[in-house]
Amino acid sequence: MLVSAEIYRGIEFVRISKLPPHQQEKIKDSLKHDQVIKILIGNTLADDCVQYHVYQAWYMQMFPARVTNNTQKPRAPEALALQEK
């Protein structure tokens, strides 16, 4: 599941350490080191942050949505009645 962004001083990000365990493993193996950023939040240095747009793109690539093949539109009752005649 795509997690929500944290926002600090206008920066939208996620912390790798706060992702679900299966995402933590995959993102550590697949992201480039320069995509992991550090953010000083008060007196705490968060050194495992990823900008949210980078995380979203990564997530969509790693967990593509399943597309259903539902191209046929449901018919209105009037159309069904005409077809039966």
Side-chain angles (χ1 to χ4, degrees):
M1 183 171 94
L2 191 65
V3 299
S4 300
E6 292 183 49
I7 302 173
Y8 181 74
R9 294 195 176 188
I11 302 169
E12 291 185 323
F13 66 96
V14 294
R15 293 191 65 177
I16 294 173
S17 60
K18 292 187 178 180
L19 294 174
H22 69 283
Q23 288 186 29
Q24 287 181 30
E25 293 172 24
K26 286 188 175 197
I27 203 166
K28 287 177 185 177
D29 292 338
S30 58
L31 277 187
K32 298 176 186 173
H33 281 282
D34 63 351
Q35 292 177 310
V36 179
I37 60 174
K38 298 176 184 178
I39 301 175
L40 185 60
I41 303 171
N43 293 330
T44 305
L45 181 64
D47 61 354
D48 65 340
C49 302
V50 178
Q51 289 186 6
Y52 195 69
H53 72 276
V54 172
Y55 167 70
Q56 283 180 314
W58 171 84
Y59 184 89
M60 296 303 173
Q61 183 179 10
M62 296 302 290
F63 306 100
R66 294 181 182 169
V67 180
T68 59
N69 190 6
N70 191 7
T71 57
Q72 187 174 1
K73 294 181 181 177
R75 295 185 181 188
E78 301 82 25
L80 290 173
L82 289 174
Q83 188 179 20
E84 292 174 359
K85 290 184 179 181

